[in-house]
Amino acid sequence: MPETRFSVRWPDGEVEHCYSPSTVVRQYLTADTTYALDEFVSLCREALDSASLRVKAKYGSRCGHADAQLSQIERKASTYSASADVTCLSIT
C-alpha cells in the first residue's frame, strides 16, 4: 500500500509533516490549498479513516499510524480559534 505524506501550515505558521498509509488522502486534500480549520479537520478525519479502513481490508486491522496522525491533527487543531485557516502545502 503506497504511503503518502502531506505537509500543512498551521495558523501559527508551524509546518507539520503528516502521514497517511494510502494515497486516498489525495481525494480529500489538495496541495497549495487553504481550508477553514473545521473543514480541514473534517477532511483529515474522512481521509485518514478511509486510509485506515483500506489497511484493515488488506491486513485485518486498522492502521495505528493513521489513527495516531488523526489524533495529533485533532489535538493540534483544538489549540486554535475556530475561525483559523490551515494550508495544505504539499502531498507526496
Side-chain angles (χ1 to χ4, degrees), residues 10-11 16 37-38 40-41 45 70-82 84 86:
W10 291 100
E16 182 174 359
L37 182 65
D38 289 345
F40 174 75
V41 172
R45 189 175 293 122
L70 177 57
S71 292
Q72 169 61 21
I73 288 169
E74 290 173 333
R75 205 170 23 257
K76 183 82 171 172
S78 72
T79 67
Y80 299 109
S81 164
V86 179

Side-chain angles (χ1 to χ4, degrees), residues 16-54:
E16 182 174 359
H17 304 285
C18 302
Y19 169 84
S20 170
S22 167
T23 59
V24 72
V25 73
R26 294 174 187 271
Q27 295 175 17
Y28 294 89
L29 298 174
T30 303
D32 298 317
T33 303
T34 299
Y35 299 92
L37 182 65
D38 289 345
E39 178 186 15
F40 174 75
V41 172
S42 179
L43 290 170
C44 285
R45 189 175 293 122
E46 291 179 46
L48 292 169
D49 185 56
S50 180
S52 193
L53 289 173
R54 285 182 178 204

